[in-house]
Amino acid sequence: MCLRRMGKTSYKRLKGSQSFRQRLLLATLSSTPILIEDIRADETWPGLRSHEILLLRLFDTICDDCLVEINETGTKLKYKPGTIMGGRQHRAYDCGVSRSIGYFLEPLILLGLFAKEPITIRLKGITNDSRDPSVDTFKYVVLPILRRFEVASEGLDLKIESRGLPPSGGGEVILSLPVVQSLTAVNWTDEGFVKRIRGITFSARVSAQFENSMIKAARGIINPLVSDVHIFSDHRSGPQAGNSPGYGISLVAETTSGCFISAETAVSHARAEDVSSLADDEKMDLMPPEVIGEGIANDLLGEITQGGVVDSTYQGLLFLLCALCPQDISKVRVGKLSQHGVETLRNIKDFLDVKFILKPDPKTPSVFLQCIGYGMKNLSRKIS
């Protein structure tokens, strides 16, 4: 990462640590130098966190001439965006273990859409946890969302090479993004009806029986409501299981209008040993898989009931994609606005000056939104 003084560049002044990831993303896409002050200045451990430093380094990896200056305490950051180059990265990028790979994927994907060259990058770290979206829902929910905005399917892929859970990670994925010159505005308000549910359970360094229990419990909730249900299992051992034991489940409902609604979680603990070698009382540290299966099935039904063309996790991504479209009207429908969704709308207005018109649906909990896109174009890319 390049650390140097910035001269007399004009900076957009911001305060605090909130929305750090989106601020960095939107500053880069809009070529806006930013100055962030008072980053956790009053906390016991002030300044930027390790995952935020790693995010800055990731931006520097795929961009040329990013200029960054951080003060000694980490409470002040100057960032001047560079040119988004993309390309094939020959070295794997280590995302660390304080946040999962999902924390890095959303900004990486949006940057990649407007890079000079298609991106292929290997990311190492935590693939599944209970805090960030997993690599599974990025693969089975986010990639279809991108296709809605006419991102080409060819060359668009997320391959899960190995699983990694907290605390020690050890997972690895390969992200590939195709050439995109511009997005296409959408009129996406038809939620449709659920026609099938697909899911995947995974287990790493624990018995495969954990997955069978999750599947049975989830089916007990879902099968009386939807007949077309398939939940696949992904049991990993050895190097492909990463460095920590655990398990989890992701469920995705597909509707008749091509919407994908998801719910997921992962369970892990701090011990590095194989769970099979633990005493019975130590095994209880892991939440029972039956509880996990039932809980995520109910969460999925809750997301479906809220309405919308995406689930609450991906409202922010949907709004960003609409805002980055050409100067045409996009219309979408979401369920009850999440806190992250509201923050995203504010950040879009702040950086891109794109305003969304909101209209609640009086008959359902959902909300209609429309905007005129920022007009983001990738003039440097050429489609072969």
Side-chain angles (χ1 to χ4, degrees), residues 194-207:
V194 175
K195 65 178 181 179
R196 57 176 165 246
I197 292 177
R198 297 291 181 262
I200 185 166
T201 63
F202 69 88
S203 58
R205 301 189 180 278
V206 298
S207 169

Side-chain angles (χ1 to χ4, degrees), residues 55-67:
L55 184 63
L56 280 164
R57 288 177 177 163
L58 178 59
F59 276 45
D60 186 64
T61 298
I62 62 172
C63 298
D64 272 358
D65 299 324
C66 284
L67 303 179

Side-chain angles (χ1 to χ4, degrees), residues 91-225:
R91 291 184 179 181
Y93 188 80
D94 191 343
C95 297
V97 293
S98 63
R99 295 293 291 265
S100 78
I101 291 172
Y103 172 84
F104 300 85
L105 276 176
E106 182 175 306
L108 179 59
I109 287 172
L110 291 173
L111 285 183
L113 295 179
F114 299 99
K116 282 192 172 184
E117 299 292 339
I119 286 180
T120 299
I121 186 169
R122 187 181 295 266
L123 303 170
K124 299 172 66 175
I126 292 172
T127 58
N128 303 81
D129 68 3
S130 58
R131 183 176 184 181
D132 296 306
S134 75
V135 295
D136 297 286
T137 55
F138 268 95
K139 183 178 180 70
Y140 296 111
V141 176
V142 172
L143 299 192
I145 290 174
L146 295 179
R147 296 185 188 108
R148 275 277 179 173
F149 291 82
E150 297 194 9
V151 176
S153 295
E154 185 177 356
L156 178 64
D157 190 30
L158 181 63
K159 185 177 182 181
I160 303 169
E161 297 278 276
S162 59
R163 295 281 177 182
L165 287 104
S168 301
E172 192 166 310
V173 303
I174 301 174
L175 173 67
S176 300
L177 293 171
V179 170
V180 175
Q181 290 183 317
S182 67
L183 301 174
T184 299
V186 297
N187 187 349
W188 192 13
T189 57
D190 181 11
E191 304 159 314
F193 300 95
V194 175
K195 65 178 181 179
R196 57 176 165 246
I197 292 177
R198 297 291 181 262
I200 185 166
T201 63
F202 69 88
S203 58
R205 301 189 180 278
V206 298
S207 169
Q209 184 59 39
F210 280 60
E211 296 185 64
N212 297 333
S213 299
M214 284 188 289
I215 291 172
K216 182 179 179 180
R219 279 186 168 277
I221 301 295
I222 295 171
N223 275 24
L225 304 174

Side-chain angles (χ1 to χ4, degrees), residues 3-21:
L3 302 176
R4 66 182 73 172
R5 296 192 178 278
M6 302 301 178
K8 294 184 178 180
T9 302
S10 177
Y11 290 92
K12 183 179 184 66
R13 301 179 72 93
L14 303 165
K15 284 191 176 185
S17 61
Q18 66 272 19
S19 301
F20 179 82
R21 189 173 45 159

Side-chain angles (χ1 to χ4, degrees), residues 31-336:
S31 300
T32 304
I34 57 174
L35 168 63
I36 307 179
E37 299 178 290
D38 297 332
I39 302 172
R40 302 184 183 92
D42 297 326
E43 296 189 17
T44 304
W45 300 101
L48 293 168
R49 299 292 183 253
S50 59
H51 56 273
E52 293 165 339
I53 298 292
L54 287 169
L55 184 63
L56 280 164
R57 288 177 177 163
L58 178 59
F59 276 45
D60 186 64
T61 298
I62 62 172
C63 298
D64 272 358
D65 299 324
C66 284
L67 303 179
V68 177
E69 181 178 321
I70 304 170
N71 70 354
E72 291 184 2
T73 60
T75 58
K76 183 178 179 180
L77 166 70
K78 283 184 176 181
Y79 172 69
K80 184 178 180 182
T83 303
I84 310 169
M85 300 301 294
R88 179 177 293 274
Q89 305 298 316
H90 298 288
R91 291 184 179 181
Y93 188 80
D94 191 343
C95 297
V97 293
S98 63
R99 295 293 291 265
S100 78
I101 291 172
Y103 172 84
F104 300 85
L105 276 176
E106 182 175 306
L108 179 59
I109 287 172
L110 291 173
L111 285 183
L113 295 179
F114 299 99
K116 282 192 172 184
E117 299 292 339
I119 286 180
T120 299
I121 186 169
R122 187 181 295 266
L123 303 170
K124 299 172 66 175
I126 292 172
T127 58
N128 303 81
D129 68 3
S130 58
R131 183 176 184 181
D132 296 306
S134 75
V135 295
D136 297 286
T137 55
F138 268 95
K139 183 178 180 70
Y140 296 111
V141 176
V142 172
L143 299 192
I145 290 174
L146 295 179
R147 296 185 188 108
R148 275 277 179 173
F149 291 82
E150 297 194 9
V151 176
S153 295
E154 185 177 356
L156 178 64
D157 190 30
L158 181 63
K159 185 177 182 181
I160 303 169
E161 297 278 276
S162 59
R163 295 281 177 182
L165 287 104
S168 301
E172 192 166 310
V173 303
I174 301 174
L175 173 67
S176 300
L177 293 171
V179 170
V180 175
Q181 290 183 317
S182 67
L183 301 174
T184 299
V186 297
N187 187 349
W188 192 13
T189 57
D190 181 11
E191 304 159 314
F193 300 95
V194 175
K195 65 178 181 179
R196 57 176 165 246
I197 292 177
R198 297 291 181 262
I200 185 166
T201 63
F202 69 88
S203 58
R205 301 189 180 278
V206 298
S207 169
Q209 184 59 39
F210 280 60
E211 296 185 64
N212 297 333
S213 299
M214 284 188 289
I215 291 172
K216 182 179 179 180
R219 279 186 168 277
I221 301 295
I222 295 171
N223 275 24
L225 304 174
V226 181
S227 60
D228 188 353
V229 178
H230 291 283
I231 305 175
F232 303 92
S233 61
D234 180 21
H235 178 67
R236 302 290 179 113
S237 59
Q240 289 190 337
N243 302 324
S244 299
Y247 57 89
I249 181 171
S250 296
L251 297 177
V252 179
E254 182 181 355
T255 74
T256 53
S257 60
C259 302
F260 293 84
I261 309 299
S262 67
E264 63 178 352
T265 194
V267 179
S268 61
H269 58 49
R271 297 180 181 90
E273 299 88 352
D274 192 319
V275 167
S276 63
S277 67
L278 297 177
D280 289 340
D281 58 340
E282 291 175 311
K283 291 180 183 179
M284 294 303 292
D285 289 345
L286 291 174
M287 188 177 294
E290 297 85 357
V291 175
I292 295 298
E294 290 179 0
I296 291 305
N298 283 317
D299 287 349
L300 180 66
L301 296 179
E303 289 283 358
I304 294 169
T305 303
Q306 285 291 322
V309 298
V310 299
D311 56 70
S312 58
T313 299
Y314 293 111
Q315 285 182 10
L317 174 65
L318 178 64
F319 300 156
L320 286 166
L321 288 167
C322 290
L324 293 171
C325 280
Q327 293 179 335
D328 198 356
I329 296 176
S330 285
K331 297 180 181 179
V332 294
R333 180 178 187 167
V334 299
K336 181 181 177 181

